Amino acid sequence: MKNKLLKMIIKRIVQSIIVVFVVTLMVFLLMQLVPGDPIANFLGANATQEQIEHYTKIFGYDQPVLIQYAKWIQGLFHGEMGRSVALQKEISEVIFQRLGVTMSIVFPAFILAVVLAIILGIVAALNRGTIIDSAISFFANIGMSMPMFWFGMILILTFGLKLGILPTSGYVAPKDGIGNWLLHLILPMTVLAMGPLAQFTRQTRSSMLEVIRQDYVTTARAKGLKQKTIIFRHQLRNALIPIITIMGVQLGGMIGGTVLVESIFVVPGLGSLMISSIQGKDFMVVENGVFIIAVAVAVCNLIVDILYGIIDPRIRND
Amino acid sequence: MQEKEKRRIKLKKISNSRVARVLLARKSVVACLIILAVMLIASVFAPFVAPYDPYKQDLVNMLKPMSFEHIFGTDSMGRDVLSRIIYGGRVSFTVGVVSVLLAGSVGMMLGLIAGMAGGIVDAVIMRIMDAMMSIPMIIMSLFLGSIFGKGLGNICLAIGISMIPSYARVTRGQVLTVREMDYVTAGTLCGASKIKNTISHILPNCVSSNIVLMTMNLGSAILNEAALSFLGMGINPPTASWGGMVNDGYKFMSSNPVIAIAPGIFIMVVVLCFNMVGDALRDALDPKLRGTLGKGKKKKIIKQAI
Amino acid sequence: MADKLLEIKNLSIEYNTEIATVYAVNGMNLSLDHGETLGLVGETGAGKTTTALSIMRLLPEGIGEVTAGSILLDGHDMLKISEEDVRNLRGNTVSMIFQDPMSSLNPVMTVGDQILEVLAIHNENVSKDELNKKVDQMMELVGIPANRKNEYPHEFSGGMKQRIIIAIALACEPKLILADEPTTALDVTIQAQMLGLINDLQKRLNTAMILITHDLGVVAQTCEKVAVMYAGEVIEYGRAEHIFSGKYLHPYTQGLFNAIPKLDEDVKRLETIDGMIPDPTERMEGCRFASRCKYAKERCKKAPDMIEIEEQHYIKCHLFAESKDKNAGRDEKDGR
């Protein structure tokens, strides 16, 4: 039993490594499509020919494409991503620091979304057809359709500008005060959690309703179990399976969503780094950023898959 | 042969009308379709519908609040917000439709090739799809947008490409299931070539699930475009786009919030409508759910109980 | 009469939906002694499963509704007692074996836990160790090695799953088991095995059983009493030997017997009962079987009464009313 799970995990790890490798190849090839000379692009119109040549050499752009790619990959294995001229820092250092900030928003938001969604989904399913159900479904539909940046803006307007009870921008590291950190997290987290919350709620509701019709629930009732036991032990565990399958996609979406959230709430995370690098045409940061995001998504998917394997015993047999 | 052809057309009509019946039975779906139609018509005929020129600046009348003259007020350059919203619909609908069609057709083709060819071709295509999927859609379109550049066409391309993998996956999955079906084997036994089989049996089976996905993706494509434009990496100003308008209005939020809130509401309503229609379409087309819809649902429960 | 385990009187059940009302059970009467085995026979849609579900009060909520009658189980009025009391009876005094073993077990729980669960809920004062021992016992009893209790349902075959379900149903040694077509989903070879097992355990634990089936062969093998259901009511009830002797039979039961292929006769076509079961969404006057009955006459427009044709053999048909009436008349005279 344990062995099967382990085998599955190893298989998934190998798959993720392949995926990440393909990502590097894809990103690198796409970067070759960027019109014009990357160095000239970066240095701007005022750069002299000498400067361009100087930097081209430093960054190795004079070498063949394949060598450039090999060098990049080789660097990645050593945790080196090169140096950003614009930031005047090692790229890896910046990216990992920013990644930490981003994840400190993504994970709490994810957990918030999942927990709240399961509660709302169960409540909606148990009150099917009533006004409670309609209200929850309505809000879930709205939550799925709202533009994230717009929702963030409205929150800033109400809680920040009108009520003045929550900070509307900036980020405080946890070491500078947990309370302050949390306070700054509330709004970004809410915005980031909204879409997944809506998705998970809908999924929980529909799969709870699906499970209620299953024979094993009748078996459970025929055993004389309490309603609560039936809901949590029999229905929910089965209903969770389809929810877990969409968790991976939603987590990826949330990591992407930080691009918007961080730019609205001025959080110095990976998302805002991506935006500023794209705007500043600092493509080395962009390509490494995309790589790191792909790795983060792959890791999240891996965790979700393992969770899946733990909850659903059938999957371990594949 | 003609008889057969006629019967086939008739059957097709029945199945199509069944889907239409299921869709139209839901009042919310009818409402959504009407809203979408009104908005689409308004944006197509924007020059006749919009009360003002969306690009005409009027610095005397800038940042006006809501009034009868300017229902949603005027923006920082004195342009009528409602007119800009009507024109902005053109961008949203264009991006939605074009990028979804692009993603759908290319994705379906890749999925078909992967599923039919198998082996190394399948592996290569699907690994690339996996890789594309492991980059969140918004980052992918941002990244592609930064390579292609701004502008309507490039944005459609960027968003379209970032949505390809889901179509490829769905189609390939369908192909693999359908390929094992008895009627496809029967086709092969009758001497149909692989290509003929693909076109006459497998392709039609993949279409319905892709159409559902396309309807659902219309909303996310529009959201994505709005996000890119909001970040200043989508549609070039001064062209009106809903996301860009929210961004413009953002700076004046405390003094005149309606400039930013109004276009956001339009994004939400359009996306909501597309999502609702997509949901209903999925329920109507999904054979697994057939007979569990509305009235049929209870009938089935009763049958089980007796 | 007091020692009857189960007494169903004049039970009527409706399913209410937006489209129509389905009259699933119509004035059904049935009783059962302790330790007795009853075969409940009838075609699909006759209301067999509905009856069983109503005994456990498991009718689909908000749809299925008991409109008349009473169900007395071991002295409890099942339709009146509180939900908590019903829960205490379910699995403990009365339990059910379901039709489809493939879907009746929770796929994400080990089979051991699923047996343990029913024991734990009804034996709150017993220690966990003892309960676990009992689980092992039950598994061995149904013929599955106890060391497999940490496995999940998907690791078992259909027959094995049905054994687990039997173990769950018998774990608390109930007074009544409702077996709803326990063998239809299984291979023929396993069917006999399973029936043998159920019968054996039932005798050992002195449990009464209602075996729902449409297979008369199964009834002949296992049951002491037979009740034939048609369109929501019991139309014939009696000891198995009386029914299988074929001396007096309701025309419908006759039809059922004729539909069984016979080995010793060379038949080209199997006999069938013409027509369909009446539309359950319509309330009917008179004999429900009349439309398909070859003996149907004018009098069948009036509903027949249940007549005791021989000792403990009841038939609901006008055909037998005549002979019985004469007898009854004579009895009356003699009585005076």
Side-chain angles (χ1 to χ4, degrees), chain A residues 145 150 153 202 252 264 279 293, chain B residues 136 139 250 253 261 272 279:
Chain A
S145 315
W150 181 75
M153 200 186 70
R202 280 163 50 104
I264 303 166
Q279 277 166 342
I293 287 173
Chain B
I139 304 243
Y250 190 30
M253 210 170 48
I261 290 176
L272 182 70
D279 274 355

Side-chain angles (χ1 to χ4, degrees), chain C residues 222-285:
Chain C
T222 42
C223 299
E224 297 152 11
K225 291 228 174 116
V226 180
V228 182
M229 268 189 100
Y230 183 79
E233 57 181 3
V234 173
I235 49 135
E236 179 152 16
Y237 171 81
R239 303 186 59 79
E241 60 260 32
H242 283 154
I243 302 228
F244 283 93
S245 76
K247 196 168 156 203
Y248 301 101
L249 277 183
H250 188 281
Y252 176 66
T253 319
Q254 249 173 45
L256 284 184
F257 274 110
N258 288 339
I260 302 173
K262 289 163 197 73
L263 278 177
D264 50 352
E265 281 169 42
D266 187 17
V267 270
K268 295 245 158 47
R269 268 187 92 92
L270 287 179
E271 263 188 68
T272 55
I273 306 176
D274 288 336
M276 296 271 288
I277 207 159
D279 184 351
T281 59
E282 277 169 32
R283 239 188 226 290
M284 279 186 65
E285 295 294 318

Side-chain angles (χ1 to χ4, degrees), chain B residues 7 50 90 173 229 292-293:
Chain B
R7 215 169 62 207
R90 294 179 155 191
S229 295
T292 61
L293 283 168

Side-chain angles (χ1 to χ4, degrees), chain A residues 228-258:
Chain A
K228 224 164 65 190
T229 319
I230 296 173
I231 291 172
F232 288 102
R233 201 186 287 166
H234 290 274
Q235 285 176 216
L236 187 58
R237 264 195 79 181
N238 282 288
L240 274 178
I241 293 169
I243 299 167
I244 290 172
T245 54
I246 64 163
M247 272 185 184
V249 179
Q250 291 296 326
L251 249 177
M254 287 175 92
I255 293 175
T258 56

Side-chain angles (χ1 to χ4, degrees), chain C residues 23-196:
Chain C
Y23 303 100
V25 175
N26 307 290
M28 148 140 190
N29 291 296
L30 197 68
S31 65
L32 196 69
D33 285 326
H34 285 273
E36 199 174 48
T37 311
L38 171 90
L40 193 56
V41 189
E43 62 196 289
T44 311
K48 300 174 310 237
T49 303
T50 303
T51 308
L53 287 175
S54 71
I55 293 171
M56 295 190 81
R57 222 160 88 179
L58 281 176
L59 288 171
E61 258 168 84
I63 301 171
E65 196 195 343
V66 175
T67 50
S70 66
I71 300 173
L72 265 170
L73 174 71
D74 201 26
H76 304 274
D77 188 341
M78 290 305 279
L79 301 177
K80 294 222 174 79
I81 55 177
S82 72
E83 187 60 33
E84 201 190 332
D85 289 337
V86 174
R87 270 208 308 269
N88 287 333
L89 292 175
R90 283 183 197 150
N92 198 13
T93 305
V94 53
S95 64
M96 195 154 173
I97 299 173
F98 293 94
Q99 194 167 357
D100 187 0
M102 301 302 167
S103 58
S104 296
L105 289 174
N106 187 342
V108 300
M109 249 173 115
T110 63
V111 295
D113 281 349
Q114 295 191 52
I115 301 174
L116 180 69
E117 196 177 44
V118 67
L119 285 166
I121 192 89
H122 296 298
N123 300 290
E124 278 172 342
N125 304 323
V126 183
S127 76
K128 189 126 194 185
D129 281 345
E130 254 171 87
L131 289 177
N132 272 318
K133 244 179 247 162
K134 178 84 184 168
V135 170
D136 294 354
Q137 255 176 36
M138 282 318 294
M139 288 188 69
E140 299 286 354
L141 203 62
V142 295
I144 294 175
N147 59 18
R148 294 194 66 182
K149 71 174 173 183
N150 288 327
E151 290 180 24
Y152 290 90
H154 72 273
E155 292 167 275
F156 291 88
S157 68
M160 300 274 257
K161 277 184 207 162
Q162 193 62 299
R163 283 167 192 268
I164 302 284
I165 291 167
I166 292 170
I168 291 173
L170 293 177
C172 293
E173 299 179 12
K175 292 179 180 162
L176 174 64
I177 304 173
L178 307 168
D180 186 5
E181 309 201 17
T183 58
T184 25
L186 301 174
D187 284 348
V188 183
T189 42
I190 301 173
Q191 278 186 20
Q193 240 182 52
M194 213 52 62
L195 284 172

Side-chain angles (χ1 to χ4, degrees), chain B residues 10-47:
Chain B
K10 203 174 155 195
L11 272 176
K12 200 155 189 197
K13 267 186 192 153
I14 292 169
S15 71
N16 281 345
S17 69
R18 198 194 73 85
V19 169
R21 247 197 348 263
V22 173
L23 282 188
L24 297 180
R26 294 191 190 180
K27 278 186 202 131
S28 55
V29 174
V30 176
C32 286
L33 286 172
I34 292 172
I35 292 172
L36 285 174
V38 168
M39 286 175 118
L40 187 66
I41 291 169
S43 64
V44 169
F45 298 103

